[in-house]
Amino acid sequence: MLILGIETSCDETSAAVVEETGDAARPWAIRSNVIASQAEIHREWGGVVPELASRQHVRDICGVVDQAMSDAAVTWADLGAIAVTQGPGLVGSLLVGVSFAKAAASAAGLPLVGVHHLAGHIESVALQNGELPLPAVILVVSGGHTSLYLVNTPGSYELLSRTRDDAAGEAYDKVAKMLGLGYPGGPIVDRLAKQGNDTAIRWPGTRLTHADRNAPELKGDLDFSFSGLKTAVLRHVTLRREQGTPLTEQEIADICASFQRVVVKTLVDRTFKAAQLYGAKSVGVAGGVSANSRLRADLKASGDARELPTFMPDLILSTDNAAMIAAAGLRKFRAGVTSPMDMNADPSLPLVAFRS
Ligand code: KG4
Ligand code: ZN
């Protein structure tokens, strides 16, 4: 069976065709994955402007779907279902994908499958690597989310922890903005950090020991927090600028490297702590920040040291794309779940019940 996936939750318009292979160990193969990025449009504003994003999705969606269908050499009659990101995300952006998918499903007489954006990120790991040894602990780390999930059985996603404030990618983007480096900041900070001394500034990581008042269902000790680190970087940069001379290239590289050391260490430590607590047989990382070179290297090294297999998607499947939505949609469809035609975009769609 072939499924068309559509993703428009933020600033990428993407469509993909994914095929079921019949191989239980490696269930999906990507036939096409077309991504139209709006980064150039939002760069001028230093972040995603929701109204500009939804308008651009409207312009791009038909061409992107056409391209995905022709790259995969399929027609509507070859498809078995249409999967689309239902939420979370920007409501105007989500609505473009959801409306398109509903119209296409209705015109082609195909079942519709609404997919949670983070289920897509989680499934990107299996889409790339085949089914993971379970239970698996998956770190989803992007511009909007930093969460740990436990996957006990294929398709079940149990939230273990999340960030109390900024997402890791958001902290990267904000630090890049403070340093005048451009948008999106993650890849730029990642690149500059390679030339910096990562212990030039010894910012502390955050450790949380109490449950979050807003989420008493979670124990909270595996939660993340990046706003303190972000503020520490801002204080450092402000104090340094008050001295009157501009920051040198080396100082900027040192700030990037020192900031990145703390973020990556926090992410890696908490992921492996969760793996140990829940007896995981594998660890995965997904989402835009999983493209980070140091995070990838340190996760692999920590996994090797603990003899725990560690999986990540290729860079193209790390950031937002429709192939992961198609894969998560196929998983849901095979479990017998489809969505009604009155399904609506939901900007704060919940993924799973909390673990107590
Ligand atoms: O998953 P994604 O494409 O969109 C969301 O769902 O948020 O993630 C985008 C985020 C941005 O904050 C971007 O700065 C970050 O991923 N990112 C990185 C890297 N590449 C992208 N962060 C750190 N290092 C990178 N190499
Ligand atoms: Zn994402």
Side-chain angles (χ1 to χ4, degrees):
M1 182 185 128
L2 293 162
I3 190 164
L4 171 69
I6 295 172
E7 153 67 35
T8 63
S9 69
C10 189
D11 63 341
E12 265 100 22
T13 316
S14 181
V17 176
V18 166
E19 185 176 9
E20 232 176 356
T21 61
D23 173 355
R26 193 169 270 280
W28 312 304
I30 300 174
R31 289 278 291 265
S32 66
N33 189 21
V34 177
I35 304 165
S37 170
Q38 302 177 0
E40 284 306 321
I41 294 166
H42 302 293
R43 184 162 293 139
E44 186 181 344
W45 310 98
V48 178
V49 183
E51 186 57 30
L52 294 180
S54 41
R55 284 166 194 241
Q56 194 59 33
H57 285 305
V58 172
R59 287 185 200 105
D60 287 340
I61 185 82
C62 293
V64 166
V65 171
D66 269 349
Q67 189 66 48
M69 302 276 283
S70 86
D71 284 2
V74 296
T75 65
W76 294 99
D78 300 320
L79 297 174
I82 298 180
V84 63
T85 308
Q86 187 189 356
L90 302 169
V91 70
S93 294
L94 289 165
L95 271 169
V96 178
V98 167
S99 308
F100 185 97
K102 280 157 73 169
S106 150
L110 290 167
L112 177 72
V113 188
V115 171
H116 193 286
H117 183 73
L118 296 191
H121 276 303
I122 292 170
E123 295 300 355
S124 73
V125 185
L127 176 60
Q128 177 80 52
N129 301 283
E131 296 286 15
L132 270 53
L134 301 181
V137 163
I138 312 275
L139 169 69
V140 181
V141 63
S142 71
H145 300 270
T146 303
S147 307
L148 283 168
Y149 284 92
L150 180 68
V151 179
N152 263 318
T153 54
S156 79
Y157 318 108
E158 207 173 328
L159 182 67
L160 300 177
S161 75
R162 56 180 195 171
T163 179
R164 302 253 180 120
D165 37 62
D166 290 358
E170 192 181 352
Y172 265 98
D173 294 338
K174 286 177 179 167
V175 164
K177 201 169 181 177
M178 284 172 212
L179 296 170
L181 298 176
Y183 171 86
I188 309 171
V189 172
D190 188 5
R191 183 165 45 77
L192 294 179
K194 293 195 176 109
Q195 281 115 49
N197 169 6
D198 69 356
T199 51
I201 310 144
R202 291 184 179 273
W203 285 305
T206 312
R207 278 191 48 230
L208 296 154
T209 49
H210 301 293
D212 180 357
R213 266 179 305 164
N214 298 316
E217 325 79 293
L218 298 172
K219 274 205 222 117
D221 53 339
L222 291 169
D223 279 359
F224 301 94
S225 167
F226 295 105
S227 72
L229 174 63
K230 178 194 67 187
T231 308
V233 177
L234 179 63
R235 275 181 56 80
H236 178 89
V237 172
T238 309
L239 285 171
R240 175 58 192 78
R241 286 207 172 117
E242 278 168 13
Q243 293 171 8
T245 51
L247 290 160
T248 64
E249 276 184 24
Q250 188 57 50
E251 279 180 288
I252 291 178
D254 288 348
I255 292 171
C256 291
S258 301
F259 162 77
Q260 178 155 285
R261 178 180 58 79
V262 182
V263 174
V264 169
K265 187 173 180 342
T266 309
L267 294 174
V268 171
D269 286 356
R270 227 143 284 170
T271 302
F272 282 99
K273 187 176 166 200
Q276 187 196 6
L277 279 173
Y278 292 96
K281 294 208 172 70
S282 66
V283 158
V285 58
V289 183
S290 72
N292 185 267
S293 58
R294 181 158 183 179
L295 178 60
R296 296 175 84 87
D298 287 9
L299 267 175
K300 205 94 211 135
S302 293
D304 288 349
R306 293 170 171 82
E307 294 185 1
L308 196 59
T310 306
F311 300 98
M312 44 201 87
D314 272 354
L315 297 191
I316 194 70
L317 294 182
S318 288
T319 43
D320 289 349
N321 68 87
M324 67 184 193
I325 301 303
L330 255 176
R331 174 94 78 201
K332 227 172 150 176
F333 185 73
R334 284 303 175 211
V337 187
T338 57
S339 305
M341 279 298 172
D342 63 357
M343 175 188 96
N344 204 354
D346 184 347
S348 49
L349 186 71
L351 178 54
V352 282
F354 291 114
R355 188 186 179 90
S356 56

